Amino acid sequence: SFGLFRNSSGLFWADLAGNISNNLSGIRQLRKTGFRLKFFSRNAITAMAKRYIAFPKFNLVPHMLGTIAMQLPVFMINRLFTKTDLGFYDLTQQAILAPFSLISVAISQVLLQRITEKKHRGEKIFRDFMNLSAMLLMIGLASFAVIELWGPQLFSLVFGNKCMVAGTYARVLIIGYIFFLVVSPMGAILLGLEKIRIFSLWNVLHFLLLIGLYFVRDITFKDFLLLFVSIEVAAFSILYFWITKTVMKYDRQLSHE
């Protein structure tokens, strides 16, 4: 709404309003569920801090690198190519990757809760893992078909004729986005099973692979995108393999028990 009225500080005020409403909603929810400060136990908090020390200890820096890795292509494109190329790349991110990210975050939050509950009950998780993988893959393949068949036309229709080239770039990037959609939510499984070191190691590996793009020289923008997508496919394939191996090992241990 601020944007429609050309308010240059709208992003700040909208973000502030969102955070205030979120906190007010949280306070209301606390009262509704009967939360009291007396429920806190110093001994219990200390015990939990010791049990989960691996999360901040092994995941803080890798998680930061993972966050940086999401933005690295923007800085690289800005350095190696034109502002126009950067604008078209950013447009494809906002149009495709942003919705995929929302789906990924929503699913990972639910998945983390489900995996934690199953772990406490001693139940296997491989079937849930495969069913979710299949569902996300179907969404990804449907998106792939739409972008490959009508990508430039859709971008031209929604964003204007000048943005048709962004639809062409989307045809290249969609493969990497699909791997992100299918694999990224599965990281919640590693967190639920407290295998944080695996996820941390992958974040470092992903970051180092993307850093390699800084040394690329004398290639076209489309070839740069192809190289970037290849790195994404390789990185997320490795992560999916590690998660699959972890899940199968966990289920085998339950069978033996």
PDB file of all heavy atoms in Angstrom, residues 9 61 120 165:
ATOM      1  N   SER A   9       9.624   5.745   2.294  1.00  0.00           N
ATOM      2  CA  SER A   9       9.955   5.080   3.562  1.00  0.00           C
ATOM      3  C   SER A   9       8.968   3.964   3.892  1.00  0.00           C
ATOM      4  O   SER A   9       8.925   3.476   5.020  1.00  0.00           O
ATOM      5  CB  SER A   9       9.974   6.109   4.703  1.00  0.00           C
ATOM      6  OG  SER A   9       8.717   6.749   4.827  1.00  0.00           O
ATOM      7  N   VAL A  61      28.325 -20.172  12.530  1.00  0.00           N
ATOM      8  CA  VAL A  61      29.103 -19.689  11.381  1.00  0.00           C
ATOM      9  C   VAL A  61      28.630 -20.324  10.075  1.00  0.00           C
ATOM     10  O   VAL A  61      28.417 -19.609   9.071  1.00  0.00           O
ATOM     11  CB  VAL A  61      30.610 -19.929  11.598  1.00  0.00           C
ATOM     12  CG1 VAL A  61      31.397 -19.569  10.340  1.00  0.00           C
ATOM     13  CG2 VAL A  61      31.111 -19.112  12.779  1.00  0.00           C
ATOM     14  N   HIS A 120      10.435 -38.845  19.383  1.00  0.00           N
ATOM     15  CA  HIS A 120      10.083 -39.083  20.783  1.00  0.00           C
ATOM     16  C   HIS A 120       9.238 -40.350  20.944  1.00  0.00           C
ATOM     17  O   HIS A 120       9.326 -41.033  21.972  1.00  0.00           O
ATOM     18  CB  HIS A 120       9.311 -37.877  21.332  1.00  0.00           C
ATOM     19  CG  HIS A 120      10.189 -36.674  21.507  1.00  0.00           C
ATOM     20  ND1 HIS A 120       9.681 -35.382  21.627  1.00  0.00           N
ATOM     21  CD2 HIS A 120      11.538 -36.537  21.575  1.00  0.00           C
ATOM     22  CE1 HIS A 120      10.675 -34.537  21.769  1.00  0.00           C
ATOM     23  NE2 HIS A 120      11.808 -35.205  21.733  1.00  0.00           N
ATOM     24  N   VAL A 165      12.999 -11.192 -21.616  1.00  0.00           N
ATOM     25  CA  VAL A 165      14.296 -11.851 -21.514  1.00  0.00           C
ATOM     26  C   VAL A 165      14.467 -12.509 -20.138  1.00  0.00           C
ATOM     27  O   VAL A 165      15.155 -13.526 -20.007  1.00  0.00           O
ATOM     28  CB  VAL A 165      15.443 -10.856 -21.787  1.00  0.00           C
ATOM     29  CG1 VAL A 165      15.518  -9.796 -20.696  1.00  0.00           C
ATOM     30  CG2 VAL A 165      16.772 -11.576 -21.899  1.00  0.00           C
TER      31      VAL A 165
END
